[in-house]
């Protein structure tokens, strides 16, 4: 509009700076490092409002309260005397914003390229037709004249002019902006020649007075404050507070709008260009790579210096956050390391997003992993052993695979790991950030202990013969069976809970043991000893081809792998179990360990007899032992695992190299005994039968031979044979204790004599000597008794007389023959005997049949038998024998 004085002026707009903030200090230049104005150390006086210094239209004779406190004009400046001048330049503007002239005179053309403050130490005297920032923004040219100012005819001036003297405007000169003078402002000319002043309130409000006065562009902010942590994690954003402080301790904030461009530009959540209203704004700053990130403000409107503080707002910091690497740690659900479990079963574990160097610090802040779902790429390696054939899975996904995990509020995600083998696998996992999740550039690996261990459910032990026949007989008899101590193949297989083999199982050592299998077992049965009681298992299936068990019976075997992968499992994690039964194991062979003979079994001789009569029983005591292959006794060979052996017996007499085979005449009449603890004491009652045709013998070295064989065909070793039973020149039996056997008979003699004296019938035990029968002086054992083995057969006496009962005399104290002889005595001397005779019969069929002989098969009185009869003797009483010199005596009565 046109004023009453004929000047035009633009309407001024109200200031947007609150009155309480109108007082500010004069600030210095830009701080190059951070792009903010730093506090000018040379604080100026309190400055007036620019709108008061430069009100509408123009001001002359400015009051003291509305005057600018211009700095002292420096020395060493240069005058400009006409011509073209472009500002700023290096000659007049040492810092690019403040330009110093001793004076500016003449016709000039001044071009302004960027806002400047122009200080003229003397006069500003522009001749006619000059141009000063013509067409430019008046806010870009602040001209402070320490002397007087004059704008010549037709001069165009766009700027804000302040003079410590007076200002004179010549005809047709024009000024767009504002004028204030401590002196007067004069206008020359009239009508169309009147100078014009166009007031620009916006230029007054926005020009950079550098604190000389307060306007909208003047910093009403003491400083910007970034409150940030000193440490951060790459896996999450760090909380940063931007505060716009109106005073030094930030007890007051700038309540108006502050426009801020943060640096670095790319990693502020929501962008780095911010409008702060109300003095404070919460920010999220992140760095997806480890290292120190420097926070800053690239530019701010209004400009003000930057200060950084830690969250306690006590210590001023260097505007730096040290970001630490982050990754995932693998744990058991209880938080301990090294997950482990059974093969082919889910092993629960958790992944937690944490600080790599301190796993106790989890990624639970903003833009972290708390209550988030993220996709990780999983893979694995075989660790122990370093090779394998089976593929693990996580949450049902075979590896390698990208798997989506849901993390809880503690940045923990549960996973189930399944591996169908034994050993340790090492997991690999990596998370790669993206734009969509706000963490582009983030790479988080699985760090620390990454091993997961898997154990067998059991170690199964089976056994088979070397020909492949399974030893799966749990009974006390039948097939299959295998000799104790003989090599067999034992197979140990690591298995999962479903009975599947685990080829990657390795352990050193694996121990083996055995126990006797129920129901036959009791406390007295031996568990047996394995030849291979431990081994290094270098595969999931291990074979031992030289395994043996020392004992007889049916066994259960057990493999124990204690302290398997001790970093992961308790010592007894693989529970040892007996697997079986395995059997049946028998003795490898039998051995004859002793024998003895009890001659004349039924006679009970004392002292014992050193011979036996043919047909008379003798006892053969035979001691056997059941042994394993190494020759040790197998104590479990007894009921129900033992059988009474069959005995192949032979009998040979060969005292002097003249061999007599008596096997065909050797008979077993009784057999008793059983196995106990691998030993058998057998008692055999043997009889060497008489030759039915003739007397023979004697046989001074009758040697029985035996081959015992049990129900499984187990017998003695051929090396034990030392008797040729077949006569083919090859030993085929085990020789037993030898004895003498002879053909015997009991003989009764005849006697006659006076009926008035004792009469004795001789009784003799005789044996066949090879040439004839002789008294057996070695027989002091045959027992005889009247009305027992000797009895009355027929008595004929004259006149019906009688005889006293005879007595056996000349016997041993226990009524046995003495050195093969005795007498049957009739005591006629003490009791008169009748005359006549009596026949004495032997009754041997019941007690002494081996002493019968073919005396008189036609003898009906004494019990004749075909081929063997009882002996007879005749005693005649009342007969005188006469002289032995008389061969024949005949008495004639006529």
């Amino acid at each position: 509009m046109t004023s009453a004085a004929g000047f035009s002026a633009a309407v001024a707009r109200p200031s947007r700076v609150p009155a309480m903030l109108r007082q500010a200090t004069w600030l210095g230049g830009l701080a190059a490092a951070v792009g903010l104005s730093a506090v000018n150390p040379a604080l100026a006086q309190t400055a007036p409002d620019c709108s008061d210094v430069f009100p509408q239209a123009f001001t002359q004779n400015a009051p003291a309260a509305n005057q600018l406190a211009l700095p002292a004009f420096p020395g060493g400046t240069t005058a400009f005397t006409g011509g073209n001048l472009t500002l700023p330049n290096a000659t007049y503007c040492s810092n690019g914003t403040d330009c110093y002239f001793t004076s500016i005179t003449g016709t000039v053309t001044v071009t302004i390229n960027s806002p400047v403050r122009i200080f003229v130490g003397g006069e500003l005297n522009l001749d006619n037709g000059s141009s000063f920032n013509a067409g430019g923004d008046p806010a870009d040219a602040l001209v402070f004249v320490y002397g007087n100012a004059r704008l010549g005819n037709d001069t165009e001036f766009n700027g804000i002019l302040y003079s410590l003297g007076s200002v004179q405007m010549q005809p047709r000169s024009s000024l767009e902006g504002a004028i204030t003078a401590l002196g007067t402002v004069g206008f020359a000319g009239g009508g169309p020649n009147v100078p014009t002043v166009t007031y620009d309130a916006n230029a007054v409000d926005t020009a950079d007075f550098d604190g000389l006065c307060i306007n909208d562009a003047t910093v009403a902010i003491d400083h910007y404050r970034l409150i940030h942590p000193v440490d951060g994690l790459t896996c999450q954003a760090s909380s940063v507070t931007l505060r716009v402080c109106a005073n030094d301790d930030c007890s007051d904030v700038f309540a108006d709008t502050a426009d801020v461009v943060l640096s670095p530009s790319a990693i502020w959540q929501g962008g780095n260009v911010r409008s702060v209203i109300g003095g404070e704004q919460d920010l999220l700053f992140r760095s997806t790579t480890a290292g120190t990130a420097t926070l800053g403000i690239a530019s701010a409107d209004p400009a003000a210096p930057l200060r950084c503080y830690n969250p306690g707002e006590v210590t001023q910091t260097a505007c730096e956050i040290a970001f630490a690497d982050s990754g995932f740690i693998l744990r058991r659900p209880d938080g301990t390391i090294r997950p482990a479990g059974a093969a082919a079963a889910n092993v629960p574990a958790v992944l937690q997003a944490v600080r790599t160097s301190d796993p106790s610090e989890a990624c639970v802040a903003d833009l972290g992993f708390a209550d988030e779902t993220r996709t990780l790429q999983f893979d694995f390696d075989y660790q122990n052993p370093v090779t394998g054939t089976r593929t693990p899975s996580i949450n049902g996904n075979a590896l390698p695979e990208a798997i989506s995990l849901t993390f809880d509020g503690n940045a923990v995600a549960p996973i189930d790991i399944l591996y169908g083998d034994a050993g340790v696998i090492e997991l690999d996992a990596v998370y790669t950030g993206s734009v969509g999740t706000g963490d582009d550039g983030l790479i988080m690996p699985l760090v620390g202990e990454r091993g997961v261990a898997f154990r067998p459910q059991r170690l199964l032990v089976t056994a088979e013969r070397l020909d492949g026949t399974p030893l799966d007989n749990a009974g006390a008899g039948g097939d299959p069976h295998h000799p104790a101590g003989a090599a067999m193949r034992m197979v140990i297989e690591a298995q999962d809970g479903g009975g599947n083999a685990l080829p990657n199982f390795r352990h050193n050592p694996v121990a083996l043991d055995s126990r006797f299998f129920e129901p036959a077992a009791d406390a007295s049965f031996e568990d047996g000893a394995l030849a291979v009681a431990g081994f290094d298992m270098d595969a999931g299936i291990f074979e031992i081809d030289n395994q043996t068990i020392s004992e007889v019976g049916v066994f259960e075997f057990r493999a124990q792998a204690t302290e398997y992968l001790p970093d992961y499992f308790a010592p007894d994690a693989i529970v040892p179990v007996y697997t079986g039964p395995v059997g049946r194991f028998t003795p490898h062979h039998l051995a004859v360990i002793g024998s003895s003979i009890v001659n004349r079994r039924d006679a009970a001789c004392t002292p014992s007899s050193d011979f036996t009569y043919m047909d008379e029983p003798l006892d053969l005591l035979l001691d056997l032992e059941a042994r394993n292959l190494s020759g040790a006794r197998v104590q479990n060979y007894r009921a129900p695992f033992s059988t009474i052996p069959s005995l192949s017996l032979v009998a040979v007499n060969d005292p002097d190299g003249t061999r007599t085979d008596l096997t065909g005449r050797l008979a077993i009449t009784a057999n008793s005994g059983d196995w106990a603890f691998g030993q058998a004491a057998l008692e055999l009652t043997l009889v060497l039968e008489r030759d039915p045709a003739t007397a023979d013998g004697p046989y001074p070295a009758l040697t029985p031979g035996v081959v015992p064989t049990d129900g499984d065909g187990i017998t003695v070793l051929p090396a034990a044979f030392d008797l040729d039973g077949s006569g083919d020149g090859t030993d085929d039996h085990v020789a037993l204790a030898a004895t003498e056997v002879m053909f015997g008979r009991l003989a009764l003699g005849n006697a006659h004599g006076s009926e008035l004296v004792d009469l004795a019938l001789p009784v003799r035990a005789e044996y066949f000597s090879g040439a004839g029968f002789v008294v057996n002086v070695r027989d002091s054992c045959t027992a005889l008794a009247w009305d027992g083995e000797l009895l009355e057969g027929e008595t004929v006496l004259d006149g019906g007389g009688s005889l006293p009962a005879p007595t056996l005399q000349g016997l041993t104290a226990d009524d046995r023959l003495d050195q093969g002889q005795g007498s049957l005595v009739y005591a006629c001397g003490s009791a008169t005997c009748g005359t006549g005779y009596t026949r004495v019969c032997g009754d041997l069929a019941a007690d002494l049949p081996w002493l019968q002989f073919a005396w008189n098969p036609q003898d009906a009185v004494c019990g004749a038998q075909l081929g063997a009869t009882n002996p007879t003797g005749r005693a005649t009483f009342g007969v005188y024998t006469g002289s032995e010199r008389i061969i024949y005596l005949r008495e004639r009565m006529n």
Side-chain angles (χ1 to χ4, degrees):
M1 62 177 65
T2 304
S3 69
F7 301 103
S8 64
V11 178
R13 61 182 175 83
S15 171
R16 61 183 173 87
V17 181
M20 64 175 287
L21 301 176
R22 288 293 181 177
Q23 306 301 319
T25 56
W26 185 20
L27 302 177
L30 294 175
V34 295
L36 296 176
S37 297
V39 176
N40 192 329
L43 290 177
Q45 64 194 37
T46 301
D49 286 347
C50 295
S51 60
D52 292 337
V53 177
F54 299 97
Q56 290 190 18
F58 62 90
T59 298
Q60 59 182 348
N61 300 316
N66 296 331
Q67 293 178 9
L68 299 179
L70 296 181
F73 192 82
T77 59
T78 304
F80 183 75
T81 56
N84 296 323
L85 178 62
T86 300
L87 296 176
N89 63 40
T91 301
Y92 302 101
C93 312
S94 58
N95 64 359
T97 57
D98 296 323
C99 306
Y100 297 92
F101 299 89
T102 302
S103 61
I104 299 176
T105 59
T107 302
V108 300
T109 299
V110 178
T111 303
I112 305 299
N113 288 336
S114 62
V116 292
R117 294 178 293 272
I118 301 171
F119 298 88
V120 182
E123 293 185 351
L124 173 68
N125 189 358
L126 304 182
D127 286 349
N128 298 338
S130 293
S131 172
F132 200 103
N133 192 29
D137 186 350
D140 289 344
L142 300 180
V143 182
F144 304 99
V145 181
Y146 286 71
N148 297 319
R150 174 181 174 277
L151 303 183
N153 296 345
D154 301 310
T155 294
E156 183 178 353
F157 188 100
N158 284 3
I160 298 174
L161 179 61
Y162 183 89
S163 174
L164 295 182
S166 297
V167 176
Q168 179 67 37
M169 295 187 65
Q170 295 298 105
R172 298 178 302 280
S173 64
S174 65
L175 183 146
E176 182 178 350
I179 299 175
T180 291
L182 272 58
T184 61
V185 178
F187 299 92
N193 297 320
V194 174
T196 61
V197 175
T198 303
Y199 182 75
D200 188 343
N202 184 68
V204 172
D205 284 343
T206 60
D208 182 9
F209 285 93
D210 198 20
L212 292 174
C213 64
I214 305 303
N215 64 357
D216 285 358
T218 302
V219 175
I221 301 170
D222 185 77
H223 64 277
Y224 289 94
R225 180 171 291 197
L226 288 176
I227 303 168
H228 65 86
V230 295
D231 295 308
L233 296 178
T234 60
C235 59
Q236 62 190 20
S238 295
S239 295
V240 177
T241 299
L242 172 60
R243 189 171 294 165
V244 186
C245 300
N247 54 8
D248 183 68
D249 64 0
C250 209
S251 57
D252 292 328
V253 295
F254 179 60
D256 208 347
T257 300
D259 295 321
V260 177
V261 178
L262 301 166
S263 67
S265 62
I267 49 180
W268 295 91
Q269 183 68 17
N272 68 319
V273 178
R274 299 300 179 99
S275 290
V276 183
I277 301 174
E280 185 172 298
Q281 189 174 103
D282 290 329
L283 309 171
L284 292 177
F285 177 85
R286 79 177 306 158
S287 175
T288 56
T289 57
T292 300
T294 302
L295 285 64
I297 297 178
S299 63
D301 182 18
L306 173 65
R307 298 182 193 174
C308 292
Y309 288 85
N310 62 22
E313 296 188 66
V314 175
T315 304
Q316 190 168 348
T317 69
C319 295
E320 294 177 344
I321 301 178
F323 282 90
D325 268 325
S326 55
F328 299 97
I329 57 171
L330 180 67
R331 292 289 187 269
R332 301 185 186 199
D334 63 4
T336 57
I337 61 174
R338 303 187 183 102
N346 279 324
V347 173
V350 294
L351 287 182
Q352 186 176 27
V354 298
R355 178 178 183 152
T356 301
S357 59
D358 183 6
S360 64
E361 187 174 351
C363 301
V364 295
D366 292 310
L367 305 182
F369 281 78
D371 299 317
E372 295 289 343
T373 298
R374 295 288 186 265
T375 298
L376 280 67
Q377 180 67 43
F378 283 91
D379 205 343
F380 77 99
D381 287 313
Y382 299 106
Q383 186 185 77
N384 183 10
V386 296
T387 59
T389 59
R390 297 179 181 175
T391 300
S393 65
I394 292 180
N395 295 350
N397 300 283
L399 302 185
E401 185 60 80
I403 303 173
S404 181
L405 302 181
T406 298
F407 293 83
D408 65 13
N410 294 316
V412 174
I415 59 174
D416 286 328
I417 310 166
L418 183 70
Y419 179 49
D421 210 335
V424 180
I425 61 169
E426 188 175 74
L427 291 182
D428 288 319
V430 64
Y431 170 73
T432 303
S434 65
V435 174
T437 52
D439 52 5
D440 187 29
L442 175 63
I443 297 177
M444 289 177 61
L446 184 62
V447 297
E449 289 282 350
R450 296 178 288 137
V452 185
F454 299 85
R455 60 167 175 79
Q457 185 68 29
R458 65 174 182 172
L459 298 181
L460 178 68
V461 183
T462 57
E464 60 186 31
R465 292 175 178 166
L466 296 182
D467 64 4
T469 302
L471 292 172
D472 54 2
N473 182 1
D479 290 322
H481 57 81
H482 190 72
M488 63 179 169
R489 180 178 297 110
M490 180 174 282
V491 180
I492 301 92
E493 182 174 83
Q495 293 185 343
D496 62 23
N500 301 303
L502 304 175
N504 259 20
F505 178 75
R506 308 285 189 274
H507 190 60
N508 176 14
V510 172
L512 292 170
D513 66 350
S514 61
R515 72 177 181 186
F516 204 85
F517 175 65
E518 296 286 356
D522 60 38
S524 65
F525 279 87
E526 297 292 330
D527 290 330
L530 294 170
V532 180
F535 62 96
D536 296 344
M537 195 163 179
D538 56 8
I541 299 178
F542 194 85
E543 294 184 1
I544 303 172
D545 286 336
N546 60 337
Q547 185 63 283
T548 64
I549 182 74
S550 63
E551 268 295 343
V552 163
V554 178
F555 297 90
E556 292 177 299
F557 297 133
R558 179 176 65 177
Q560 300 184 73
T562 58
E563 297 189 357
Y564 175 64
L565 300 175
D567 290 341
Y568 294 87
F569 295 106
D572 56 353
I574 304 175
V575 179
V577 294
Y578 285 102
T579 55
V582 178
R584 172 179 57 101
F585 293 93
T586 64
H588 177 267
H589 62 275
L590 305 180
V592 178
I593 60 172
S595 64
S596 62
I597 288 179
V598 178
N599 282 300
R600 310 197 66 188
R601 175 182 186 271
D602 297 334
C605 301
T606 304
S608 59
S609 175
D610 59 358
F611 73 94
T612 297
Y613 292 110
M614 295 180 191
D615 279 348
E616 182 181 22
L618 62 82
D619 276 347
L620 173 62
L621 304 181
L622 178 61
D623 293 327
L624 302 180
E625 192 170 83
R627 294 179 175 179
N628 61 25
L629 179 62
S630 63
R633 174 164 57 101
V634 284
Q635 299 193 41
N636 290 347
Y637 193 63
R638 49 195 158 110
F641 295 97
S642 62
T643 60
I644 298 297
S646 63
L647 300 175
S648 171
L649 281 174
V650 296
V652 174
N653 185 75
D654 189 9
D656 54 4
T658 303
R659 180 181 183 280
T660 303
D661 185 356
L662 299 172
T663 301
R665 293 166 57 182
L666 188 67
I668 300 176
T669 62
N671 187 353
S672 63
D674 202 350
W675 291 97
F677 298 96
Q679 289 181 326
L682 304 183
E683 182 174 338
L684 284 71
T685 301
L686 304 181
V687 171
L688 183 66
E689 297 173 342
R690 296 184 181 193
D691 187 332
T694 183
D696 62 343
Y699 299 112
L702 176 70
T703 306
V706 67
V707 177
T709 304
D710 76 356
D712 293 309
I714 299 165
T715 185
V716 296
L717 296 176
F721 293 153
D722 55 1
L723 180 68
D724 179 8
S726 63
D728 61 0
T730 301
D731 290 340
D732 48 23
H733 282 70
V734 178
L736 304 179
T739 190
E740 183 173 2
V741 180
M742 55 186 64
F743 192 106
R745 69 181 185 181
L746 184 68
L748 294 180
N750 297 326
H752 62 274
S754 171
E755 72 280 13
L756 302 178
V757 296
D758 293 346
L759 184 65
L761 273 69
V763 181
R764 299 185 305 274
E766 299 176 342
Y767 74 94
F768 183 71
S769 67
F773 284 94
V774 296
V775 175
N776 186 1
V777 297
R778 292 157 57 191
D779 187 353
S780 295
C781 185
T782 299
L784 297 175
W786 179 252
D787 287 337
E789 290 75 26
L790 298 178
L791 50 80
E792 181 180 357
E794 176 188 27
T795 301
V796 178
L797 295 176
D798 296 337
S802 64
L803 296 175
T807 59
L808 282 165
Q809 299 180 17
L811 303 181
T812 63
D814 54 351
D815 296 328
R816 301 173 186 261
L817 293 178
D818 187 0
Q819 297 185 27
Q821 299 184 75
S823 299
L824 182 65
V825 178
Y826 289 88
C828 294
S830 58
T832 302
C833 297
T835 61
Y837 68 91
T838 184
R839 293 185 65 187
V840 177
C841 297
D843 187 4
L844 306 182
D847 296 332
L848 301 171
W850 49 87
L851 292 181
Q852 289 181 318
F853 183 68
W855 294 100
N856 183 5
Q858 288 76 37
D859 188 347
V861 173
C862 287
Q865 298 180 21
L866 183 63
T869 62
N870 292 312
T872 63
R874 182 183 176 106
T876 303
F877 302 95
V879 176
Y880 174 66
T881 61
S883 174
E884 292 181 358
R885 295 183 178 181
I886 297 174
I887 298 175
Y888 176 75
L889 175 66
R890 178 177 181 184
E891 180 179 358
R892 292 184 67 150
M893 301 303 297
N894 54 20

